[in-house]
Amino acid sequence: MAFDIHALIVINRDDIACLYQLEAYDLVEAYNEGRLKGTLKEIAAELEEESNPVIMVIRNKK
């Protein structure tokens, strides 16, 4: 997948590995092309191209 992704900085959160900002128009395009699965697919199904960006939180396994 080729998304316009912006990494965000997290301070003092041991359980969060990283955060990414995903642009809605990229997610809508990927959804329409059938390139998504799981929770991200469910979220993208509700978006419009003009929607606010989605923040993806990746957590460390415990």
Side-chain angles (χ1 to χ4, degrees), residues 44-59:
E46 302 293 323
L47 295 175
E48 296 177 9
E49 287 190 3
E50 299 82 25
S51 296
N52 289 327
V54 173
I55 304 297
M56 180 170 61
V57 179
I58 300 176
R59 297 184 182 276

Side-chain angles (χ1 to χ4, degrees), residues 7-54:
L8 305 173
I9 298 173
V10 179
I11 300 173
N12 292 331
R13 289 299 306 258
D14 292 333
D15 60 328
I16 297 178
C18 59
L19 299 171
Y20 292 106
Q21 177 179 314
L22 305 172
E23 297 299 331
Y25 56 84
D26 286 330
L27 290 172
V28 169
E29 180 179 326
Y31 177 79
N32 290 336
E33 294 174 357
R35 297 187 288 143
L36 299 178
K37 61 183 178 180
T39 305
L40 195 54
K41 181 178 179 179
E42 294 172 16
I43 293 169
E46 302 293 323
L47 295 175
E48 296 177 9
E49 287 190 3
E50 299 82 25
S51 296
N52 289 327
V54 173

